[in-house]
Amino acid sequence: MLPHLNFAESNLDFLGKRKITITVSLILILISVALLATRGLNFGIDFTGGTLVEVGYPEAVELDPIRETLAEGGFAGAQVQTFGTSRDVLIRLPPSEDDDDPATLSNRVLNALQDGGPDDPDLRRVEFVGPAVGEELREQGGLAMIYALAGILIYVAVRFEWRFSIGAVFALIYDVVITLGIFSLLQLEFDLGVLAAVLAVIGYSLNDTIVVYDRIRENFRILRKKGTEEVMNIAVNKTLARTIITSTTTLLVLFALAFLGGAALQNFSIALIIGVIVGTYSSIFIAATAALLLGVDRQVLLPVKKEGAEEDQTP
Amino acid sequence: MRNSYPAWLYALIVVVILGAGLYAAPNLFPEDPSVQIGNPTTGEIDQNIRELMGTILGAQGVTPHTVEEQDDGQILLRFETTDEQSTAAEILRNALDDNHTVALNMAPATPRWLRAINGQPMALGLDLRGGVHFLMEVDLDAVIGTAMERYSNELRGRLREERISFDTVERGSRDLTVMFESEADREAAEGWLQRQYREELVWESRGSGDTSRLVATLDDDHLTELRRQALQQNISTLRSRVDELGVAEPIIAQQGENRIVVQLPGVQDTARAKEVLGATATLEFRLVSESGDAQEADETGRAPSGTRLYYERDGTPVLLQRQVMLTGDYITDASSGIAQDTGGPAVFINLDGQGARIFSRVTSDNVGRLMATVFIETSTETVEEDGEQVMRTSRSEEVINVARINEPLGRRFQISGLDSSREARNLALLLRAGALAAPMSIVEERTVGPSLGQENIDRGMQSVVIGFIAVMIFMVLYYRVFGVIANVALALNLIFIVSVLSMLQATLTLPGIAGIVLTVGMAVDANVLILERIREELRNGLSPQAAIASGYDRAFTTIADANVTTLIAALVLFLFGTGPIKGFAITLSIGIIASMFTAIMVTRAIVNLTYGRQRRLNRLAI
């Protein structure tokens, strides 16, 4: 049996340390934005357009001879890397300027490899994305995200209060920016799967944030004698055990995917792992703090019904 | 204080769970590698072909374990292994004639009683099962040019018939111009033209004296209609071409305003698929001009009026008449074979009634003259010009055969002069399947070999299962008896997602698996919220029974709020996303609803049944 986590009485002072957490968070955001602005994301062919050819060899192969063979074959700018195992090779070709038909392109790549290499590879998969399609995907992905954030803003504003919804959306933007920043730092490939993962992170982190807000609202109702900061601190502490356990179980599944799911799921699971960790951080350190800074207090959530209610507040 | 649900609620929960189990069940049965044989022309397979198939396959030692009749007249042969399947398909392709299609198929082995209640397994996306996915962009602006061509031909004839005097009709790329000798002539014609083409063309007068002309552009509504028709025709043409290829369960659907998605599960030969889908080949028959000198026209680059300069495949220039004798639109059927006279590859062509009438008239008027068959192929590609994406259509027209008309030709005739029997086969197929109304280009293509697909599924599923088991072990260690109950909910949650996806016949893709993983995380979360709440209430000194009731009640609003917000995000993604994003959103939405039901109602029912009746409950194993 595992020992029980219990932070209900611990009263860790999350909000008292808000100067530190906010400074750290802002610095992280600035670093991420700077990374995205300078290094950018390593977009996969889903977004840039181009051709991807995956071939499988019967034996482990060296990449350098393959690179040479391709260069001789006139495939400019071909990126070659192993994919999952040393027998599987992934070749990326940028969108071609000349009138290349993608079908013949992949066939020509295969022919070049078969003529020039020691072993005969077999063609596993070919993906070709036209440049226009890639551009549209970028736009659509971005738009879908913006609409989702707008929908969340409205719902949280209706169920809670507008300050909460801005806090929640700020926490979400933080998650997305940091996750993208890490992808930019490590230059991991950003493809459609990763986009789906980032969307999932929004969902997950939102879930976390709402749980904390819900507790804050409840505490305002129950703890009539306590000040705003204290109420929020208690809420974060009381939900802390649940936040940590849920992250742990989700990460268990994700680590299984990342280590055992094969190369196809790798980037996707890494994005989710980063996102869950960042999302957990933001729901503990950012969501409540943002609401506090925006001026959330008992007044805001529970409008005063009678004159004497003011006396309930401890200075 | 007791915890119990009314009896009908228990009954409802049991019924829902059983239903979910029933519709998730088809996914447990493996698929049989099968070969599907059809005959698109007649729609049924006759008896002697069946016997023939039996004997050939038996002789080669690949006997199907079952043979099924399908509703659409096709026959399904199920095999034990994929090796047997591909061997059998190879044998049958060689043995059967052009009229039969042989397609590889993974046929679900769902038992009959499940199929009777519409139980079907989930469809697997191409990234999981192998196959080809194309996204085609249709160049809808090309319909303007085609329409202008048609109108200008029609106008020349009709203006003559109506005895309206005009000078020439000239076709531009987006408009057409009728030239007149004088303004008087123009005014005389204008009224008639306006009346005749009121819905279709917009006329504008320009110039004066001998430059008097009327310029026509397409009416906006009419253009919209033409575009819609062109897209529909392209889709139906693609359908018939895919049928010719013999692909099991293809998907051909419109996406957005001018795109068509084509998914061909199990197709390996992408080059062939592309040739057939993207090519727009048609034929024209024109008379060889007797007046001009082709050699001279080639050198000067100017063809005498009424003629056009063409080239044969070996580069020989040839002058043909501008007037087309017959276009490929009248062709109803075409098959490939060997020409009797030359022994080379040939295409045998059938015309419809109207085409046959036209053709016999023009050929009997011109017996003894030379007729050329022009092979027209259009290909489109997207190129970048000054940073702009432009669709460029290139049209190659070559004369594949020049032959003397020895006798009037009618409904059936043959064309020879093709390079290879493969070309003959392709041309016959394209002529059979009809023409594309507008040229298309492939803007996205994804191919997954079946081995990779299998590997993807196996590894992906394996990792999900292992992750699951890890979570379950953790829950039991941490929450003991309540952890076991939460695990039941988790397992049910998975069954729910699978059953709803199967009922909707949704397609499971990798992003879909992502949605499932996330949902599992959230389903666990709902349980964790409830259990942590119960513990908290116990610490606050409530009795176990009261703690259970209050824990569930208090966690409920939190879970509802958190899940509804995520559901909103999922719905928005579904509305605005495409393809993979949509798939992810569907799975996520189903998962959220399922986890609300399982985590709250099902666990509560189990808890009630376990603890609810005990009058003196002192401790909870939580």
Side-chain angles (χ1 to χ4, degrees), chain B residues 368-394:
Chain B
R369 285 191 62 176
L370 289 171
M371 178 182 81
T373 306
V374 186
F375 177 65
I376 300 168
E377 200 170 13
T378 325
S379 60
T380 318
E381 64 226 350
T382 313
V383 288
E384 200 153 326
E385 274 179 19
D386 318 325
E388 286 287 301
Q389 299 296 330
V390 188
M391 303 242 316
R392 195 188 293 148
T393 310
S394 57

PDB file of all heavy atoms in Angstrom, chain B residues 368-394:
ATOM      1  N   GLY B 368     -12.224   7.602 -97.915  1.00  0.00           N
ATOM      2  CA  GLY B 368     -11.052   7.795 -98.760  1.00  0.00           C
ATOM      3  C   GLY B 368     -10.101   8.833 -98.184  1.00  0.00           C
ATOM      4  O   GLY B 368      -8.937   8.871 -98.558  1.00  0.00           O
ATOM      5  N   ARG B 369     -10.587   9.668 -97.252  1.00  0.00           N
ATOM      6  CA  ARG B 369      -9.686  10.667 -96.667  1.00  0.00           C
ATOM      7  C   ARG B 369      -8.988  10.090 -95.434  1.00  0.00           C
ATOM      8  O   ARG B 369      -9.342   9.036 -94.929  1.00  0.00           O
ATOM      9  CB  ARG B 369     -10.487  11.907 -96.259  1.00  0.00           C
ATOM     10  CG  ARG B 369     -10.896  12.742 -97.462  1.00  0.00           C
ATOM     11  CD  ARG B 369     -11.447  14.075 -97.048  1.00  0.00           C
ATOM     12  NE  ARG B 369     -10.451  14.882 -96.327  1.00  0.00           N
ATOM     13  CZ  ARG B 369     -10.682  16.140 -95.927  1.00  0.00           C
ATOM     14  NH1 ARG B 369     -11.845  16.698 -96.166  1.00  0.00           N
ATOM     15  NH2 ARG B 369      -9.765  16.822 -95.292  1.00  0.00           N
ATOM     16  N   LEU B 370      -7.983  10.836 -94.983  1.00  0.00           N
ATOM     17  CA  LEU B 370      -7.257  10.376 -93.802  1.00  0.00           C
ATOM     18  C   LEU B 370      -7.884  10.958 -92.535  1.00  0.00           C
ATOM     19  O   LEU B 370      -8.242  12.132 -92.503  1.00  0.00           O
ATOM     20  CB  LEU B 370      -5.798  10.832 -93.878  1.00  0.00           C
ATOM     21  CG  LEU B 370      -4.937  10.124 -94.923  1.00  0.00           C
ATOM     22  CD1 LEU B 370      -3.586  10.819 -95.042  1.00  0.00           C
ATOM     23  CD2 LEU B 370      -4.737   8.660 -94.539  1.00  0.00           C
ATOM     24  N   MET B 371      -8.002  10.111 -91.536  1.00  0.00           N
ATOM     25  CA  MET B 371      -8.529  10.584 -90.260  1.00  0.00           C
ATOM     26  C   MET B 371      -7.474  10.376 -89.181  1.00  0.00           C
ATOM     27  O   MET B 371      -6.815   9.338 -89.144  1.00  0.00           O
ATOM     28  CB  MET B 371      -9.800   9.811 -89.888  1.00  0.00           C
ATOM     29  CG  MET B 371     -10.366  10.229 -88.548  1.00  0.00           C
ATOM     30  SD  MET B 371     -11.821   9.275 -88.093  1.00  0.00           S
ATOM     31  CE  MET B 371     -11.076   7.800 -87.444  1.00  0.00           C
ATOM     32  N   ALA B 372      -7.310  11.388 -88.316  1.00  0.00           N
ATOM     33  CA  ALA B 372      -6.317  11.267 -87.246  1.00  0.00           C
ATOM     34  C   ALA B 372      -7.017  11.089 -85.902  1.00  0.00           C
ATOM     35  O   ALA B 372      -8.057  11.687 -85.644  1.00  0.00           O
ATOM     36  CB  ALA B 372      -5.446  12.510 -87.205  1.00  0.00           C
ATOM     37  N   THR B 373      -6.439  10.241 -85.059  1.00  0.00           N
ATOM     38  CA  THR B 373      -6.916  10.105 -83.682  1.00  0.00           C
ATOM     39  C   THR B 373      -5.975  10.908 -82.801  1.00  0.00           C
ATOM     40  O   THR B 373      -4.772  10.640 -82.772  1.00  0.00           O
ATOM     41  CB  THR B 373      -6.873   8.638 -83.230  1.00  0.00           C
ATOM     42  OG1 THR B 373      -7.597   7.868 -84.191  1.00  0.00           O
ATOM     43  CG2 THR B 373      -7.486   8.473 -81.855  1.00  0.00           C
ATOM     44  N   VAL B 374      -6.511  11.909 -82.120  1.00  0.00           N
ATOM     45  CA  VAL B 374      -5.677  12.747 -81.266  1.00  0.00           C
ATOM     46  C   VAL B 374      -5.877  12.315 -79.810  1.00  0.00           C
ATOM     47  O   VAL B 374      -7.003  12.193 -79.344  1.00  0.00           O
ATOM     48  CB  VAL B 374      -6.061  14.238 -81.411  1.00  0.00           C
ATOM     49  CG1 VAL B 374      -5.095  15.103 -80.619  1.00  0.00           C
ATOM     50  CG2 VAL B 374      -6.074  14.634 -82.861  1.00  0.00           C
ATOM     51  N   PHE B 375      -4.773  12.061 -79.157  1.00  0.00           N
ATOM     52  CA  PHE B 375      -4.797  11.631 -77.767  1.00  0.00           C
ATOM     53  C   PHE B 375      -4.499  12.862 -76.912  1.00  0.00           C
ATOM     54  O   PHE B 375      -3.444  13.472 -77.057  1.00  0.00           O
ATOM     55  CB  PHE B 375      -3.738  10.553 -77.580  1.00  0.00           C
ATOM     56  CG  PHE B 375      -3.605  10.055 -76.171  1.00  0.00           C
ATOM     57  CD1 PHE B 375      -4.636   9.383 -75.550  1.00  0.00           C
ATOM     58  CD2 PHE B 375      -2.419  10.241 -75.472  1.00  0.00           C
ATOM     59  CE1 PHE B 375      -4.496   8.906 -74.260  1.00  0.00           C
ATOM     60  CE2 PHE B 375      -2.277   9.773 -74.188  1.00  0.00           C
ATOM     61  CZ  PHE B 375      -3.319   9.096 -73.591  1.00  0.00           C
ATOM     62  N   ILE B 376      -5.446  13.257 -76.065  1.00  0.00           N
ATOM     63  CA  ILE B 376      -5.275  14.484 -75.293  1.00  0.00           C
ATOM     64  C   ILE B 376      -5.146  14.140 -73.829  1.00  0.00           C
ATOM     65  O   ILE B 376      -6.004  13.470 -73.253  1.00  0.00           O
ATOM     66  CB  ILE B 376      -6.489  15.410 -75.484  1.00  0.00           C
ATOM     67  CG1 ILE B 376      -6.612  15.765 -76.951  1.00  0.00           C
ATOM     68  CG2 ILE B 376      -6.335  16.667 -74.639  1.00  0.00           C
ATOM     69  CD1 ILE B 376      -7.903  16.414 -77.290  1.00  0.00           C
ATOM     70  N   GLU B 377      -4.066  14.590 -73.241  1.00  0.00           N
ATOM     71  CA  GLU B 377      -3.848  14.295 -71.833  1.00  0.00           C
ATOM     72  C   GLU B 377      -3.628  15.611 -71.107  1.00  0.00           C
ATOM     73  O   GLU B 377      -2.835  16.431 -71.539  1.00  0.00           O
ATOM     74  CB  GLU B 377      -2.617  13.407 -71.691  1.00  0.00           C
ATOM     75  CG  GLU B 377      -2.602  12.675 -70.389  1.00  0.00           C
ATOM     76  CD  GLU B 377      -1.499  11.630 -70.371  1.00  0.00           C
ATOM     77  OE1 GLU B 377      -0.632  11.670 -71.268  1.00  0.00           O
ATOM     78  OE2 GLU B 377      -1.518  10.798 -69.485  1.00  0.00           O
ATOM     79  N   THR B 378      -4.351  15.805 -70.019  1.00  0.00           N
ATOM     80  CA  THR B 378      -4.184  17.035 -69.251  1.00  0.00           C
ATOM     81  C   THR B 378      -3.603  16.675 -67.908  1.00  0.00           C
ATOM     82  O   THR B 378      -4.085  15.759 -67.252  1.00  0.00           O
ATOM     83  CB  THR B 378      -5.545  17.710 -68.982  1.00  0.00           C
ATOM     84  OG1 THR B 378      -6.361  17.491 -70.119  1.00  0.00           O
ATOM     85  CG2 THR B 378      -5.389  19.170 -68.721  1.00  0.00           C
ATOM     86  N   SER B 379      -2.561  17.360 -67.511  1.00  0.00           N
ATOM     87  CA  SER B 379      -2.092  17.152 -66.149  1.00  0.00           C
ATOM     88  C   SER B 379      -1.962  18.516 -65.508  1.00  0.00           C
ATOM     89  O   SER B 379      -1.677  19.511 -66.159  1.00  0.00           O
ATOM     90  CB  SER B 379      -0.763  16.415 -66.145  1.00  0.00           C
ATOM     91  OG  SER B 379       0.168  17.179 -66.851  1.00  0.00           O
ATOM     92  N   THR B 380      -2.206  18.544 -64.210  1.00  0.00           N
ATOM     93  CA  THR B 380      -2.174  19.820 -63.509  1.00  0.00           C
ATOM     94  C   THR B 380      -1.201  19.715 -62.371  1.00  0.00           C
ATOM     95  O   THR B 380      -1.085  18.678 -61.738  1.00  0.00           O
ATOM     96  CB  THR B 380      -3.552  20.125 -62.906  1.00  0.00           C
ATOM     97  OG1 THR B 380      -4.519  19.774 -63.859  1.00  0.00           O
ATOM     98  CG2 THR B 380      -3.687  21.578 -62.564  1.00  0.00           C
ATOM     99  N   GLU B 381      -0.479  20.757 -62.129  1.00  0.00           N
ATOM    100  CA  GLU B 381       0.350  20.756 -60.928  1.00  0.00           C
ATOM    101  C   GLU B 381       0.324  22.139 -60.323  1.00  0.00           C
ATOM    102  O   GLU B 381       0.013  23.122 -60.977  1.00  0.00           O
ATOM    103  CB  GLU B 381       1.775  20.339 -61.249  1.00  0.00           C
ATOM    104  CG  GLU B 381       2.474  21.296 -62.169  1.00  0.00           C
ATOM    105  CD  GLU B 381       3.193  20.543 -63.274  1.00  0.00           C
ATOM    106  OE1 GLU B 381       3.281  19.323 -63.169  1.00  0.00           O
ATOM    107  OE2 GLU B 381       3.636  21.188 -64.216  1.00  0.00           O
ATOM    108  N   THR B 382       0.638  22.178 -59.030  1.00  0.00           N
ATOM    109  CA  THR B 382       0.672  23.462 -58.354  1.00  0.00           C
ATOM    110  C   THR B 382       2.116  23.921 -58.333  1.00  0.00           C
ATOM    111  O   THR B 382       2.984  23.205 -57.878  1.00  0.00           O
ATOM    112  CB  THR B 382       0.161  23.316 -56.918  1.00  0.00           C
ATOM    113  OG1 THR B 382      -1.048  22.558 -56.971  1.00  0.00           O
ATOM    114  CG2 THR B 382      -0.127  24.660 -56.314  1.00  0.00           C
ATOM    115  N   VAL B 383       2.368  25.091 -58.866  1.00  0.00           N
ATOM    116  CA  VAL B 383       3.736  25.603 -58.851  1.00  0.00           C
ATOM    117  C   VAL B 383       3.744  26.952 -58.153  1.00  0.00           C
ATOM    118  O   VAL B 383       2.718  27.596 -57.997  1.00  0.00           O
ATOM    119  CB  VAL B 383       4.294  25.783 -60.275  1.00  0.00           C
ATOM    120  CG1 VAL B 383       4.571  24.441 -60.914  1.00  0.00           C
ATOM    121  CG2 VAL B 383       3.352  26.593 -61.127  1.00  0.00           C
ATOM    122  N   GLU B 384       4.934  27.362 -57.739  1.00  0.00           N
ATOM    123  CA  GLU B 384       5.035  28.622 -57.035  1.00  0.00           C
ATOM    124  C   GLU B 384       5.528  29.686 -57.998  1.00  0.00           C
ATOM    125  O   GLU B 384       6.553  29.513 -58.657  1.00  0.00           O
ATOM    126  CB  GLU B 384       6.006  28.461 -55.864  1.00  0.00           C
ATOM    127  CG  GLU B 384       5.802  29.514 -54.825  1.00  0.00           C
ATOM    128  CD  GLU B 384       6.231  29.026 -53.442  1.00  0.00           C
ATOM    129  OE1 GLU B 384       6.077  27.826 -53.148  1.00  0.00           O
ATOM    130  OE2 GLU B 384       6.706  29.854 -52.677  1.00  0.00           O
ATOM    131  N   GLU B 385       4.779  30.770 -58.115  1.00  0.00           N
ATOM    132  CA  GLU B 385       5.217  31.872 -58.964  1.00  0.00           C
ATOM    133  C   GLU B 385       5.175  33.143 -58.155  1.00  0.00           C
ATOM    134  O   GLU B 385       4.131  33.542 -57.650  1.00  0.00           O
ATOM    135  CB  GLU B 385       4.272  32.018 -60.172  1.00  0.00           C
ATOM    136  CG  GLU B 385       4.644  31.124 -61.335  1.00  0.00           C
ATOM    137  CD  GLU B 385       3.676  31.289 -62.494  1.00  0.00           C
ATOM    138  OE1 GLU B 385       2.972  32.312 -62.531  1.00  0.00           O
ATOM    139  OE2 GLU B 385       3.636  30.392 -63.341  1.00  0.00           O
ATOM    140  N   ASP B 386       6.298  33.808 -58.024  1.00  0.00           N
ATOM    141  CA  ASP B 386       6.401  35.037 -57.236  1.00  0.00           C
ATOM    142  C   ASP B 386       5.758  34.857 -55.861  1.00  0.00           C
ATOM    143  O   ASP B 386       5.000  35.701 -55.396  1.00  0.00           O
ATOM    144  CB  ASP B 386       5.712  36.227 -57.953  1.00  0.00           C
ATOM    145  CG  ASP B 386       6.011  36.238 -59.440  1.00  0.00           C
ATOM    146  OD1 ASP B 386       7.138  35.849 -59.776  1.00  0.00           O
ATOM    147  OD2 ASP B 386       5.130  36.617 -60.222  1.00  0.00           O
ATOM    148  N   GLY B 387       6.041  33.741 -55.229  1.00  0.00           N
ATOM    149  CA  GLY B 387       5.518  33.510 -53.888  1.00  0.00           C
ATOM    150  C   GLY B 387       4.039  33.176 -53.852  1.00  0.00           C
ATOM    151  O   GLY B 387       3.471  32.984 -52.802  1.00  0.00           O
ATOM    152  N   GLU B 388       3.385  33.094 -55.004  1.00  0.00           N
ATOM    153  CA  GLU B 388       1.961  32.754 -55.042  1.00  0.00           C
ATOM    154  C   GLU B 388       1.800  31.308 -55.509  1.00  0.00           C
ATOM    155  O   GLU B 388       2.553  30.845 -56.356  1.00  0.00           O
ATOM    156  CB  GLU B 388       1.229  33.666 -56.037  1.00  0.00           C
ATOM    157  CG  GLU B 388       1.026  35.084 -55.545  1.00  0.00           C
ATOM    158  CD  GLU B 388      -0.051  35.168 -54.470  1.00  0.00           C
ATOM    159  OE1 GLU B 388      -1.190  34.785 -54.755  1.00  0.00           O
ATOM    160  OE2 GLU B 388       0.265  35.602 -53.352  1.00  0.00           O
ATOM    161  N   GLN B 389       0.796  30.624 -54.946  1.00  0.00           N
ATOM    162  CA  GLN B 389       0.527  29.268 -55.426  1.00  0.00           C
ATOM    163  C   GLN B 389      -0.347  29.348 -56.672  1.00  0.00           C
ATOM    164  O   GLN B 389      -1.425  29.923 -56.629  1.00  0.00           O
ATOM    165  CB  GLN B 389      -0.225  28.467 -54.359  1.00  0.00           C
ATOM    166  CG  GLN B 389       0.538  28.320 -53.079  1.00  0.00           C
ATOM    167  CD  GLN B 389       1.802  27.526 -53.255  1.00  0.00           C
ATOM    168  OE1 GLN B 389       1.865  26.654 -54.110  1.00  0.00           O
ATOM    169  NE2 GLN B 389       2.822  27.834 -52.474  1.00  0.00           N
ATOM    170  N   VAL B 390       0.122  28.835 -57.748  1.00  0.00           N
ATOM    171  CA  VAL B 390      -0.652  28.893 -58.987  1.00  0.00           C
ATOM    172  C   VAL B 390      -0.841  27.474 -59.521  1.00  0.00           C
ATOM    173  O   VAL B 390       0.072  26.669 -59.487  1.00  0.00           O
ATOM    174  CB  VAL B 390       0.092  29.714 -60.069  1.00  0.00           C
ATOM    175  CG1 VAL B 390      -0.795  29.935 -61.278  1.00  0.00           C
ATOM    176  CG2 VAL B 390       0.532  31.045 -59.502  1.00  0.00           C
ATOM    177  N   MET B 391      -2.051  27.189 -59.976  1.00  0.00           N
ATOM    178  CA  MET B 391      -2.263  25.890 -60.602  1.00  0.00           C
ATOM    179  C   MET B 391      -1.979  26.037 -62.078  1.00  0.00           C
ATOM    180  O   MET B 391      -2.528  26.915 -62.724  1.00  0.00           O
ATOM    181  CB  MET B 391      -3.716  25.433 -60.431  1.00  0.00           C
ATOM    182  CG  MET B 391      -4.127  25.374 -59.012  1.00  0.00           C
ATOM    183  SD  MET B 391      -4.602  23.781 -58.382  1.00  0.00           S
ATOM    184  CE  MET B 391      -5.596  23.031 -59.552  1.00  0.00           C
ATOM    185  N   ARG B 392      -1.091  25.205 -62.568  1.00  0.00           N
ATOM    186  CA  ARG B 392      -0.801  25.313 -63.980  1.00  0.00           C
ATOM    187  C   ARG B 392      -1.241  24.024 -64.667  1.00  0.00           C
ATOM    188  O   ARG B 392      -0.939  22.933 -64.217  1.00  0.00           O
ATOM    189  CB  ARG B 392       0.684  25.564 -64.213  1.00  0.00           C
ATOM    190  CG  ARG B 392       0.931  26.026 -65.634  1.00  0.00           C
ATOM    191  CD  ARG B 392       2.384  26.099 -65.946  1.00  0.00           C
ATOM    192  NE  ARG B 392       3.053  27.145 -65.177  1.00  0.00           N
ATOM    193  CZ  ARG B 392       4.319  27.025 -64.790  1.00  0.00           C
ATOM    194  NH1 ARG B 392       4.991  25.921 -65.055  1.00  0.00           N
ATOM    195  NH2 ARG B 392       4.903  27.996 -64.127  1.00  0.00           N
ATOM    196  N   THR B 393      -1.972  24.176 -65.708  1.00  0.00           N
ATOM    197  CA  THR B 393      -2.463  23.016 -66.429  1.00  0.00           C
ATOM    198  C   THR B 393      -1.670  22.871 -67.716  1.00  0.00           C
ATOM    199  O   THR B 393      -1.552  23.815 -68.478  1.00  0.00           O
ATOM    200  CB  THR B 393      -3.947  23.205 -66.792  1.00  0.00           C
ATOM    201  OG1 THR B 393      -4.619  23.591 -65.615  1.00  0.00           O
ATOM    202  CG2 THR B 393      -4.535  21.937 -67.336  1.00  0.00           C
ATOM    203  N   SER B 394      -1.111  21.691 -67.888  1.00  0.00           N
ATOM    204  CA  SER B 394      -0.426  21.497 -69.167  1.00  0.00           C
ATOM    205  C   SER B 394      -1.205  20.446 -69.932  1.00  0.00           C
ATOM    206  O   SER B 394      -1.689  19.466 -69.374  1.00  0.00           O
ATOM    207  CB  SER B 394       1.010  21.045 -68.928  1.00  0.00           C
ATOM    208  OG  SER B 394       1.006  19.880 -68.156  1.00  0.00           O
TER     209      SER B 394
END
